[in-house]
Structures are given as C-alpha cells and as structure tokens.
Amino acid sequence: MILANPNYTVACSGNERERAFGAAIAKAFGLAPQVGEILFSRNIDTLEKAEEFLCPQLSMLPSPESMKGMREAVACVHAACDTGQPIFIHGDYDVDGISATALLVSFFRELGRQTYAYIPNRLQENYGLSIDSIDQLIAQGPGQGGVLISVDCGISAVAEVAYARQRGLRVVITDHHEPRGVLPEADAILDPKQPGCNFSYPTLSGVGVAFYLLMALRKAMGLRINLKQYLDLVALGTVADVVPLTGVNRILVRAGLEVLTATSRPGLLSLYSHAGLGKRDILAEDIAYKLAPRINASGRLGQPETGLALLLANDMESGQSAASVLEQMNSTRKQLEIDELSLAEAACAEQVGAGKNGLVVYQPQCHAGVLGILASRLVDRHRRPVLVFADECKNGVEGIIRGSGRSVKGINLFQILTRCDHWIEQFGGHAMAVGLTLKQENLEGFTANFNQYVSSLECGLQTMNQIWIDYCLADASLLTDRLMQAVQRLQPFGEGNPEPIFLLPEQRLIAPKKKNGHLMFHLQGQGRIFPGIGFHLGQPHLDTTKPTDVLCRLKRSWFRGVERNQLQAIMLVSP
C-alpha cells in the first residue's frame, strides 16, 4: 500500500525474501511470521543467526583470554590474592560504575580478600582517577601495597596511574571508553576499544569488562564460584549505560534479567517496592526507567556511596534504608530537572528555528548532576545531538565550564569532539554520550565548530526528521495475541535492539478517553479488542473521531498484578 506520510520510513518492505524468511522463522520457532520479517530487516537473515539471537546462552560468550591485557591482569590480581595483599576498587559515579564497583567488591569479599572501594563525588571531584581519590582509597587500607583495579574509568589517566604506582600499588585498568593518545603505564589494561585488542565485541559496558576479568580469574584460580549470581549487576550497568543490547551484551543482559527477577538482594527488593515493581518479570525498560534513575540519583547528587550501599546491603534493614534515601534523592533530581528543562528547551527551540543541527545550551547555574539527563531529554524532543554546559563549581575554579552530551543514531559524538579538541580542555566518552570541559571564552568558537561538523554528516542528518517504523500492519486483523507474544521474544530491548514500532494505518479508535494528558483507547484486532494507552498524547486539540495512523509498540503490561497484552501508542498521525 502507499503510505500517506512521506516522512515514514518502514524497515520491512514486504518483499519476497522477507516474507520467505518470516515463514521460515514461523516454522522453525513457532513465532508469528512478522517477527521473522523484522529480524530480516535487522540483518538477522539466517536461521543460525536467528537461533543465536532468540536463544542466547552463556556458553556462547567469547573467551576472556581473547581480550588484550587479560593475561597480565589475571596474573597481577591472582598474585595479590595469593599473597594476601589488599584489593582497591576505584569506580565511577554512574550506574555502570557503581554496579561494576559492587560486582568486584562482592566477588573479592566472597573470596575473603581485603577489599576497599572508592567512588568520586561528582560535585566535588573530577571524573575518574585523581591524585586525591587514589590517596583516599589507599587511606582505607593497611598501607602495605596492593593492587588498584579501576572500573568504568582510567583509560586516559596517565599521570594518575603513574602516581598510584609511585605509592606502591600495582594497577589494572578496566574501562570501555574510547582511548585518546598515550595509554597509562598500568600493569594491565582491559579495554576492548584499545589499539590491538581483537576481542570480538568492542562495545561492552564498564561492568561488562569487569565481569570478563572475573570470568578469567575464576578459571585461573580454579574457583567454584557461580558467576551467574552477579549478572544482575551486569544487567543494571549495561542497560543503564545505553550500550548496544546485541551480541555479548544481549547474552549477559538476558541472563541478568533472570537473576534480577529472582533476586534475593535486600537492596534491590527494597528498590523494587519503591519503583512499583511487584512480583513479575523484570524487563530492560524497568532498569532504564525505574531502577537506574534511582541509583543514578545518588551519583548525580554527589552521594554515590548510597547507590553502592544499596547493591551491597546484606539485610533488609540496610537495604530499605538505602532505598528510601535513593527515593528521596530521585525526587530531588526530578525537581532539579523540571527547574532547568524549560529554559533549556527554549534555547534549543531557538537554535532549531535558526537551522542549527547540533544544539549547545549554556546554563551557568545548572546543577552539574542533571546536565546529562537534560541532554537526553532534549535529544528525545529534537532528534539532534545536544551538549548542555554549566559553570564548573569545584575547588573555586573560575572560567571553566563543564558539559555533558548525548547523540542520536548515526552521529558519533565522540568522533565529532575529537575534531573540535583544539577548543576543549578535557573530554571522554563514546559514540552516544560524552563529558567535557572547556574554557568559557572558547564556548562560542567551539559551538560554531561543533555545528559545522554535525551539519557535515549528511547520512546522520537524513534520519532526524524521519518517523521510523519496523512493520506496517496494513490490516488490523493482523493484530493478534500470537504476534504480541512473539514480539517479546526479541527482548531485551534497548540501544542496538530497539523495541519494534508498528504502524496501523487509518484506524478508528474505540472508546477513546483523555485523562491527565494521556489517551486511553481500544483497537479491534483479530478475534478481540486490544486495550491501548498513549502517554502524553491526550492533548485537548486531538480529534479522536476521525481515522488516524496509529504508531505503537506491542507491550506486556501489568495491572494490579495481572499480565496483559497492550498497545502503547507513541504517535497519532492524520492520514
């Protein structure tokens, strides 16, 4: 059929090869053929690839020994364990860094080793390793050497690693960020993005790299520890850090969600209660929208130790205490975000109106803990890369501004910053998220340069105004419970494996009702009527009496403990 809206981009074209593969998937796996066609459109175009994708197993994980630096890292940590030297874990203040810290602390304490951890305060300290953070970490120990393991940081900490070694520590870097220039002279470096690393999946999260270290240590030390018990932490950090949920990450997160669903961790159980997660399966979206924001709030407000305490809690009393504090922090974070968003939105709207493709916002007094989340919100609204800056407020520093950036599919933000680095004091990150500092006097020049490079990326810009659709259900009779259930086999959804968006053209909504800005409705499918909801779609001007193109996701939802299939409309478009 011919679609009325020229901005629609439909992944599944309905060609003969797609339909044949859909039929093959239906026969081999008992799934609705539309799911097979979606897989085909995502380059999962053989039954072998489909088997690997639909049925990921931990046995499919590539060997830890294939990661550059693993032999040296294992030797270093193994020697420390054998000689009773302390283990120092240096983390980061986001969910990836907090969960990676909890992972290593839990593992080494299970082995009975002296283990100490430190996570910097975002509001008072710099990102990653610093002279001060190393001193504070060493001060916790007995003062007799040991090994320092960084998680989710360290790949650019040349001077800091040198200082740690001067203080008598051996140093193992585990990180997943893009290296820049000279690497630190550590005893071992684990980063699948470092030059010369042939690990087959370079887009691990920080906690994923740390988990791979534990896999190698278990083998080298002959341990009988079941590492699957720690995959809840791996899933938390991996989903929260918005790395691709494909390949190795998909395997780890799929298994980790099973552990999260069955968890006995007191802190997580308490957090579930605050987040309204009853006794049901935990999904990746629960991490992204309910669990991670609460844990992240501790780092955003300068108290990452509270998030760590939640994940390490050994009893319900301490777990409930940490969860309650996180809930309060998250409420504070939400209000800070509300206070700043309208001003930032106005600045972005003005830039979009002026034809800018890369958006740069400077709000001097903005709380440093919400820069990243503001950037994320603005990217969602404007479908453009966004950088949000505020004045640096640490240690009486003047004339320096700190920023956080988020990007869109197809535009590598880290690579753009490498082309603008003559304006920048420091920066780091990856394709979709960056952090940076620059002199305030350089902001104007940087902004012009940033926009120039973003605008030069034609292939990325072409997708900005397109409405991406995975599959067009030309007839509502194709909407079935079988299809709804089959779509769930594609879980976990996230970066690199987005939840499919379906188009049902020219639909008449049944019993539409607007409430609190949201829209409730029903659609006639095959054999029955399906409930639907559109968050923030119940605007006063919306005419629900006319046929409309419904763009939606096919969801599992729970209402008062009862699971059901539901449509979640994301857009209604007049045909």
Side-chain angles (χ1 to χ4, degrees):
M1 68 178 297
I2 298 175
L3 299 178
N5 194 314
N7 288 328
Y8 290 158
T9 299
V10 183
C12 293
S13 63
N15 64 45
E16 186 175 337
R17 291 183 64 201
E18 280 181 0
R19 292 198 303 271
F21 190 71
I25 289 293
K27 181 178 180 181
F29 298 96
L31 301 177
Q34 294 91 341
V35 167
E37 294 179 51
I38 291 171
L39 289 174
F40 189 89
S41 74
R42 297 182 178 189
N43 297 317
I44 301 171
D45 52 8
T46 68
L47 290 180
E48 291 76 14
K49 290 181 182 179
E51 173 76 27
E52 184 176 324
F53 183 86
L54 294 170
C55 308
Q57 305 294 324
L58 292 173
S59 59
M60 298 176 180
L61 292 173
S63 168
E65 286 76 17
S66 64
M67 189 179 295
K68 182 180 180 180
M70 187 62 76
R71 181 180 301 177
E72 294 81 359
V74 167
C76 184
V77 178
H78 194 173
C81 289
D82 283 348
T83 57
Q85 291 187 316
I87 308 291
F88 297 98
I89 313 299
H90 191 295
D92 183 31
Y93 39 62
D94 65 3
V95 178
D96 191 16
I98 292 172
S99 59
T101 304
L103 171 69
L104 293 196
V105 169
S106 298
F107 176 82
F108 288 114
R109 286 182 179 172
E110 186 171 351
L111 296 185
R113 308 305 180 200
Q114 299 178 77
T115 308
Y116 307 93
Y118 185 80
I119 300 175
N121 182 322
R122 178 196 295 262
L123 305 182
Q124 298 176 2
E125 302 174 72
N126 292 324
Y127 160 81
L129 294 168
S130 68
I131 303 301
D132 184 59
S133 65
I134 292 169
D135 285 342
Q136 293 199 54
L137 191 50
I138 293 174
Q140 297 181 47
Q144 54 184 35
V147 59
L148 185 157
I149 307 174
S150 75
V151 291
D152 195 31
C153 63
I155 195 62
S156 300
V158 176
E160 293 79 7
V161 168
Y163 176 75
R165 297 186 73 180
Q166 290 172 9
R167 291 292 310 269
L169 298 180
R170 302 188 73 185
V171 180
V172 174
I173 299 294
T174 77
D175 201 352
H176 72 126
H177 293 100
E178 297 280 356
R180 293 183 60 219
V182 178
L183 297 180
E185 293 187 5
D187 293 271
I189 296 177
L190 299 179
D191 186 333
K193 293 188 177 77
Q194 68 175 305
C197 184
N198 296 318
F199 187 71
S200 60
Y201 194 79
T203 53
L204 287 173
S205 61
V207 69
V209 177
F211 184 77
Y212 256 79
L213 172 61
L214 300 192
M215 289 173 63
L217 282 171
R218 180 182 63 175
K219 180 179 178 180
M221 298 174 70
L223 303 174
R224 299 178 64 85
I225 293 175
N226 181 6
L227 293 181
K228 185 176 180 180
Q229 66 179 310
Y230 298 129
L231 286 178
D232 53 350
L233 300 173
V234 178
L236 281 171
T238 299
V239 173
D241 219 51
V242 201
V243 294
L245 295 188
T246 57
V248 172
N249 288 339
R250 177 174 174 80
I251 295 170
L252 294 173
V253 171
R254 182 86 162 246
L257 290 171
E258 294 176 2
V259 180
L260 281 167
T261 296
T263 190
S264 59
R265 287 184 189 271
L268 286 178
L269 290 172
S270 300
L271 201 63
Y272 291 179
S273 178
H274 283 284
L277 296 173
K279 294 182 178 180
R280 64 166 179 85
D281 293 348
I282 301 299
L283 308 178
E285 67 183 73
D286 296 321
I287 296 176
Y289 298 112
K290 296 185 177 182
L291 301 178
R294 287 170 165 82
I295 298 172
N296 229 350
S298 64
R300 293 187 185 282
L301 299 187
Q303 299 180 47
E305 64 276 7
T306 305
L308 182 62
L310 176 108
L311 297 178
L312 295 177
N314 291 318
D315 56 75
M316 288 305 298
E317 182 179 358
S318 56
Q320 289 170 353
S321 175
S324 295
V325 174
L326 289 180
E327 189 69 16
Q328 294 168 6
M329 288 181 177
N330 196 43
S331 296
T332 301
R333 186 272 305 169
K334 287 179 180 179
Q335 189 58 53
L336 287 169
E337 180 188 335
I338 290 170
D339 293 344
E340 297 289 348
L341 185 57
S342 59
L343 188 60
E345 170 59 33
C348 284
E350 181 179 348
Q351 293 176 44
V352 170
K356 303 296 185 183
N357 290 315
L359 308 182
V360 178
V361 177
Y362 172 46
Q363 295 184 192
Q365 303 305 314
C366 184
H367 192 286
V370 297
L371 293 176
I373 200 162
L374 282 177
S376 294
R377 295 283 186 266
L378 296 167
V379 166
D380 290 343
R381 293 189 183 187
H382 297 286
R383 301 190 212 175
R384 288 164 168 77
V386 177
L387 299 171
V388 182
F389 288 93
D391 287 344
E392 178 67 276
C393 300
K394 299 170 185 172
N395 303 320
V397 174
E398 294 184 0
I400 297 293
I401 59 177
R402 178 171 296 273
S404 186
R406 300 293 183 268
S407 193
V408 295
K409 181 180 180 181
I411 296 183
N412 188 317
L413 201 51
F414 185 87
Q415 289 183 0
I416 291 173
L417 293 193
T418 62
R419 301 176 72 178
C420 303
D421 64 354
H422 52 288
W423 298 106
I424 302 172
E425 298 299 303
Q426 291 180 312
F427 77 94
H430 44 80
M432 299 298 289
V434 296
L436 69 162
T437 59
L438 52 111
K439 293 179 180 177
Q440 185 177 350
E441 64 193 46
N442 288 336
L443 179 60
E444 184 176 351
F446 167 81
T447 299
N449 208 190
F450 177 72
N451 249 295
Q452 175 188 349
Y453 284 124
V454 173
S455 297
S456 70
L457 300 173
E458 294 183 7
C459 59
L461 296 175
Q462 287 173 356
T463 66
M464 282 185 178
N465 296 315
Q466 292 295 303
I467 301 171
W468 184 264
I469 297 162
D470 289 276
Y471 199 95
C472 177
L473 295 171
D475 189 327
S477 66
L478 296 173
L479 185 61
T480 65
D481 281 304
R482 181 188 180 204
L483 173 60
M484 302 276 270
Q485 292 160 5
V487 166
Q488 302 311 311
R489 287 289 300 275
L490 306 181
Q491 294 263 17
F493 298 125
E495 181 67 25
N497 183 42
E499 191 168 3
I501 296 174
F502 291 83
L503 168 64
L504 289 96
E506 300 183 18
Q507 297 297 304
R508 287 195 178 275
L509 304 183
I510 299 173
K513 181 181 179 181
K514 300 175 185 178
K515 185 177 181 180
N516 298 326
H518 308 307
L519 176 68
M520 277 70 74
F521 64 95
H522 293 77
L523 281 184
Q524 178 68 56
Q526 185 184 97
R528 78 177 186 89
I529 294 175
F530 288 89
I533 187 168
F535 294 110
H536 310 296
L537 295 185
Q539 302 304 316
H541 64 270
L542 178 66
D543 186 351
T544 58
T545 64
K546 296 179 180 179
T548 182
D549 289 353
V550 179
L551 280 67
C552 63
R553 299 186 176 102
L554 309 184
K555 308 285 291 186
R556 293 173 71 190
S557 68
W558 286 263
F559 182 69
R560 295 178 179 173
V562 178
E563 182 180 351
R564 64 176 181 172
N565 293 325
Q566 183 184 47
L567 306 173
Q568 184 185 93
I570 60 169
M571 188 180 297
L572 301 177
V573 181
S574 298

